[in-house]
Amino acid sequence: MVSERAKPSGPKFRRRSEARPDEVLDAALELFVEKGFAATRVEDIATRAGVSKGTVYLYFPSKEAVLEGLVRRGVLPVANSVIEQFAKVSGDPRLILAGAIRMLGNRLSDPMIGAIPKVVLREVVSFPQLAEMYRREVLDRTIPVLVSLIERGIAEGYMRPVDPELTVRSIVGPLVIHVVLAQVFGIVPKGGMEIEALIDNHLSVLFGGLSAPGAPDIG
Amino acid sequence: MVSERAKPSGPKFRRRSEARPDEVLDAALELFVEKGFAATRVEDIATRAGVSKGTVYLYFPSKEAVLEGLVRRGVLPVANSVIEQFAKVSGDPRLILAGAIRMLGNRLSDPMIGAIPKVVLREVVSFPQLAEMYRREVLDRTIPVLVSLIERGIAEGYMRPVDPELTVRSIVGPLVIHVVLAQVFGIVPKGGMEIEALIDNHLSVLFGGLSAPGAPDIG
DNA sequence: CATTAATAACTGACCAGCCAGTTATTTACA
DNA sequence: TGTAAATAACTGGCTGGTCAGTTATTAATG
């Protein structure tokens, strides 16, 4: 409030057409996470971004377009770096997998990044275009890479002959549910919510299995 | 349309105060799944339930109360039967776990049941009371049972000494993500989306691990 | 005909998107 | 360089439509 005095008789606004879209997206992300898309008014976004409502419409044709821009900006870099990790074509695929899982886990647990899938998940039903975009830009690009990594792992004798496509779900599911439990329901393991511990345990179960060495086979 | 002729000069409505709440909930569930809570109008619910909007308000004090009633009615029975499964206190815990996972997977893949967690997940942010209820009635009751089953498995030498709380995420995560991928993004494995195959593969990875017997240890 | 389930018309709040007008910044020219 | 005209950025109030919730009235049922 008083800190505004930095510019006592300063101008009422600044012209910053370069920075505006990002400022709007930053504000929108915060609000969508706090209250959801439907409950967020365009005017709220504008206020938090330090502009007026009209300005939002200078840069985005609609409220939905703000959401779309948000997803595009926030999620593509992550998908790209995950793909880059997976793309390593030599070495034990399990190590590549482990590295990529660690990376993905760390990204997801960053609230500003992990928030985006959460928002997508919520709005997808009333905004099918968003689902399609997310699928096309993220899922359809990452899942196949992951599948072929598993296929190579099996072919080269590093992994048991599992179904690669279904195993993808065993790999990413635990990460996602961990974030959901923590961020949505406030359910945090006793040891704290450092994602590192979760990832370590997950990798241990994933590669080593849950059964004890001496225990009888089940099946 | 024409089939309405079954009651040609019948009464304009029936008085059925017993059946009305369930009829309203059925209609609401369908619509919430189709379009989400925010985009569903109370009048839509009423129309699909075959009553007028006012009637909805005879049985539910608000739109949110409809959602809450829906969750309460749909999800408690599932939680209870899962808990019942887990409660078996003797025998190989891995078999009990496997049985409960199969049961949960089947329930989740029933659209009318699996839809509810999906709706909860979407509305939780703008409706914290719902999150709290779901947490209290479902998660806080099921997760501890699962944790203690794993603890017993470890204590009795059936399972490796993993972190039980974190391992819960490795157990349910894949099921949830499978349903989300299928229902939200339309991503279905080539082999079809029969949940049985997913569960078989998941159990195999979960208990046996992903590493091939001959492969070098990673760690 | 008394009771109450159910209807249908109504109200008031809310908000996305629009746009007429205002202000900051740049450009043209002296 | 100083200044006025031109332009681009921004504001904020308005409007039309939507919809949750209310209420006056009607109709079914015992």
Side-chain angles (χ1 to χ4, degrees):
Chain A
M1 298 293 128
V2 186
S3 65
E4 306 293 1
R5 293 298 170 83
K7 287 270 175 186
S9 51
K12 202 156 114 191
F13 58 83
R14 294 291 173 78
R15 303 175 53 162
R16 320 177 355 96
S17 61
E18 293 291 280
R20 289 298 186 223
D22 267 330
E23 290 170 359
V24 170
L25 292 180
D26 290 341
L29 177 56
E30 287 179 30
L31 287 164
F32 289 167
V33 170
E34 281 171 31
K35 326 197 299 181
F37 180 79
T40 298
R41 293 175 310 159
V42 173
E43 192 158 3
D44 296 338
I45 300 174
T47 303
R48 188 164 303 198
V51 298
S52 73
K53 187 162 63 143
T55 299
V56 173
Y57 283 96
L58 289 178
Y59 296 103
F60 299 92
S62 71
K63 190 182 170 188
E64 290 191 347
V66 174
L67 176 54
E68 206 174 329
L70 196 54
V71 173
R72 188 161 271 123
R73 182 190 69 162
V75 111
L76 284 187
V78 176
N80 287 336
S81 55
V82 168
I83 290 170
E84 195 182 333
Q85 276 277 332
F86 281 137
K88 290 173 182 161
V89 78
S90 65
D92 188 335
R94 296 174 300 170
L95 292 176
I96 297 171
L97 200 53
I101 288 173
R102 281 185 200 284
M103 210 257 281
L104 183 61
N106 283 317
R107 298 299 188 101
L108 278 180
S109 68
D110 169 356
M112 249 8 193
I113 306 290
I116 290 180
K118 232 170 64 183
V119 173
V120 171
L121 210 55
R122 288 190 38 219
E123 304 310 333
V124 127
V125 177
S126 40
F127 190 5
Q129 183 185 353
L130 186 69
E132 203 194 329
M133 194 258 273
Y134 194 81
R135 199 191 110 129
R136 197 180 51 240
E137 308 270 10
V138 179
L139 301 174
D140 283 352
R141 291 173 59 218
T142 51
I143 293 178
V145 182
L146 189 41
V147 166
S148 61
L149 187 71
I150 299 172
E151 283 169 347
R152 181 162 76 81
I154 297 169
E156 297 180 358
Y158 289 104
M159 301 182 189
R160 293 197 299 115
V162 294
D163 180 318
E165 251 183 303
L166 297 177
T167 303
V168 167
R169 288 147 178 79
S170 295
I171 291 171
V172 298
L175 295 178
V176 173
I177 206 84
H178 183 250
V179 174
V180 169
L181 283 178
Q183 292 193 6
V184 176
F185 295 102
I187 296 180
V188 167
K190 288 196 201 74
M193 82 151 298
E194 280 73 37
I195 193 101
E196 282 303 335
L198 182 275
I199 293 174
D200 287 343
N201 190 78
H202 173 44
L203 289 175
S204 159
V205 172
L206 181 65
F207 290 122
L210 200 50
S211 298
D217 260 12
I218 60 177
Chain B
M1 299 297 129
V2 186
S3 65
E4 307 291 359
R5 295 297 172 86
K7 288 271 172 185
S9 52
K12 204 153 109 189
F13 56 83
R14 293 293 173 76
R15 308 169 114 215
R16 317 172 3 91
S17 60
E18 293 293 280
R20 289 298 186 225
D22 267 331
E23 292 170 357
V24 171
L25 291 182
D26 290 342
L29 176 56
E30 287 179 27
L31 286 164
F32 289 166
V33 170
E34 282 170 29
K35 324 196 300 179
F37 179 78
T40 298
R41 293 174 312 158
V42 173
E43 192 157 0
D44 296 337
I45 300 173
T47 303
R48 188 165 303 195
V51 298
S52 72
K53 184 162 69 145
T55 298
V56 173
Y57 283 94
L58 287 178
Y59 298 103
F60 298 92
S62 70
K63 188 183 170 187
E64 290 192 347
V66 174
L67 176 55
E68 207 174 327
L70 196 55
V71 173
R72 187 162 271 122
R73 182 189 70 162
V75 109
L76 284 187
V78 176
N80 286 337
S81 56
V82 169
I83 290 169
E84 196 182 332
Q85 276 276 331
F86 281 136
K88 288 173 183 161
V89 80
S90 66
D92 188 335
R94 296 174 300 173
L95 292 176
I96 298 171
L97 200 53
I101 288 172
R102 283 184 197 285
M103 208 257 280
L104 183 62
N106 283 317
R107 296 299 187 102
L108 278 181
S109 68
D110 169 356
M112 249 9 189
I113 305 289
I116 290 181
K118 230 170 66 183
V119 173
V120 170
L121 210 56
R122 285 192 58 214
E123 304 308 333
V124 120
V125 178
S126 38
F127 190 5
Q129 184 185 354
L130 186 69
E132 204 193 331
M133 193 259 269
Y134 193 81
R135 201 192 110 129
R136 200 180 51 242
E137 308 270 11
V138 179
L139 300 176
D140 284 352
R141 291 173 60 220
T142 51
I143 293 178
V145 182
L146 190 41
V147 167
S148 60
L149 188 71
I150 298 172
E151 283 168 347
R152 182 163 75 80
I154 297 170
E156 296 181 359
Y158 290 104
M159 301 182 190
R160 292 195 300 116
V162 292
D163 180 317
E165 251 183 301
L166 297 178
T167 304
V168 167
R169 290 149 177 78
S170 296
I171 292 170
V172 298
L175 295 178
V176 173
I177 206 83
H178 183 250
V179 174
V180 169
L181 282 179
Q183 291 193 8
V184 175
F185 296 103
I187 295 180
V188 167
K190 289 198 201 71
M193 84 149 295
E194 279 73 35
I195 192 102
E196 282 303 335
L198 182 274
I199 293 175
D200 287 343
N201 190 77
H202 174 44
L203 289 174
S204 160
V205 171
L206 181 65
F207 290 122
L210 201 50
S211 297
D217 259 13
I218 60 177

